[in-house]
């Protein structure tokens, strides 16, 4: 399996973008709970809270991206009926996973399946000897913003916010890191390699006899 280019994500996105995503997502959860509590009766509140979290975390992602100067698009789903946010820079495409109570794979909607196929080069399939070989392009990556809500925890804050790189078939995460770990990568420096001691000259000079 090809190593997942987490470092490439960090190199492409400014640190401020990830910090803004964390702050905006926290604010979205707090606002969703406040609006649901103030406007919806208890029997319908849980269902409505999920819708509000979806809408407000989408807005949070776009707001953080715009503040960081990243390209943002809002295409329609196919078939039409909804829309979703896409943040892009240097061939790194970031979309949002649906809010779950765990860090497992998101619902395999058609648009997520289409974007996840960008990662085929990181999990290549076995070559069919009877078909022409295909080398997936390695200049694009699909990443997903992963947000979870605790079933029995504080409903005003997310339980987890991180970035995942899904497999091309959306069966597993090739990589999944919380935002705080990704942000820490901006401040880590590689340990300098110790200089190797110079090799001693072990050659022994010998005098050559005249006339030899």
């Amino acid at each position: 399996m090809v190593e997942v280019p987490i470092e490439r994500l960090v190199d492409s996105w400014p640190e401020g973008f990830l910090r803004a995503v964390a702050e905006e997502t926290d604010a979205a959860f707090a606002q969703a709970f406040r609006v649901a509590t103030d406007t919806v009766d208890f029997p319908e509140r849980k269902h409505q809270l999920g819708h509000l979290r979806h809408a407000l975390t989408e807005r949070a992602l776009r707001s953080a991206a715009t503040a960081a100067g990243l390209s943002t698009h809002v295409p329609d789903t196919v078939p039409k009926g909804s829309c979703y946010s896409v943040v892009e820079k240097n061939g790194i495409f970031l979309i949002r996973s649906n809010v779950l109570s765990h860090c497992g794979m998101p619902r395999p909607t058609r648009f997520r399946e289409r974007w996840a196929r960008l990662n085929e080069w990181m999990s290549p399939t076995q070559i069919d000897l009877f078909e022409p070989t295909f080398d997936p392009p390695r200049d694009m990556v699909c990443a997903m913003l992963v947000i979870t809500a605790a079933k029995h925890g504080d409903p005003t804050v997310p339980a987890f916010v991180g970035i995942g790189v899904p497999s091309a078939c959306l069966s597993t995460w090739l990589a999944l890191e919380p935002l705080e770990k990704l942000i820490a990568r901006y401040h880590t420096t590689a340990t300098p390699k110790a200089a190797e001691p110079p090799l001693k000259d072990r050659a022994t000079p010998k005098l050559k006899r005249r006339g030899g």
Side-chain angles (χ1 to χ4, degrees):
M1 179 177 290
V2 180
E3 183 179 355
V4 180
I6 290 292
E7 293 79 7
R8 184 177 165 193
L9 274 63
V10 174
D11 291 341
S12 297
W13 298 333
E15 179 187 354
F17 168 58
L18 296 183
R19 291 190 178 277
V21 168
E23 294 170 1
E24 294 276 359
T25 302
D26 284 350
F29 260 61
Q31 184 180 1
F33 181 77
R34 184 174 61 253
V35 172
T37 302
D38 293 344
T39 61
V40 183
D41 287 342
F42 179 78
E44 295 81 24
R45 187 177 300 162
K46 181 178 180 181
H47 183 69
Q48 189 61 32
L49 181 58
H51 284 291
L52 286 168
R53 283 172 173 165
H54 165 79
L56 294 176
T57 52
E58 282 284 331
R59 186 178 70 177
L61 175 58
R62 294 193 300 270
S63 177
T66 300
L70 303 181
S71 176
T72 308
H73 308 282
V74 188
D76 291 324
T77 58
V78 179
K80 288 186 177 182
S82 186
C83 60
Y84 61 96
S85 304
V86 181
V87 177
E88 188 273 334
K89 186 175 182 182
N90 297 338
I92 306 293
F93 295 87
L94 177 65
I95 61 177
R96 197 183 61 81
S97 170
N98 47 305
V99 179
L100 300 173
S101 60
H102 55 79
C103 288
M105 300 309 297
R107 187 169 60 252
T109 56
R110 188 175 299 182
F111 78 89
R112 290 194 186 103
E113 290 177 336
R114 181 166 60 88
W115 283 105
R117 283 199 291 269
L118 290 178
N119 297 339
E120 282 187 357
W121 64 273
M122 282 181 278
S123 49
T125 55
Q126 187 174 359
I127 297 175
D128 188 339
L129 298 179
F130 299 98
E131 294 291 338
T133 58
F134 172 69
D135 187 17
R138 298 171 180 240
D139 57 346
M140 292 185 289
V141 175
C142 169
M144 292 185 181
L145 176 61
V146 181
I147 304 169
T148 70
K151 287 184 177 180
H152 306 292
D154 186 349
T156 66
V157 294
F160 175 88
V161 183
I163 302 293
V165 178
S167 62
C169 59
L170 281 178
S171 63
T172 187
W173 295 116
L174 301 177
L176 178 64
E177 289 192 6
L179 286 187
E180 55 266 27
K181 184 175 180 180
L182 283 170
I183 292 172
R185 287 177 176 268
Y186 290 84
H187 304 281
T188 56
T189 55
T191 304
K193 187 177 180 180
E196 296 181 1
L199 294 176
K200 294 182 179 180
D201 188 357
R202 298 180 182 275
T204 303
K206 293 182 179 180
L207 296 177
K208 186 177 182 180
R209 294 180 181 180
R210 291 183 178 180

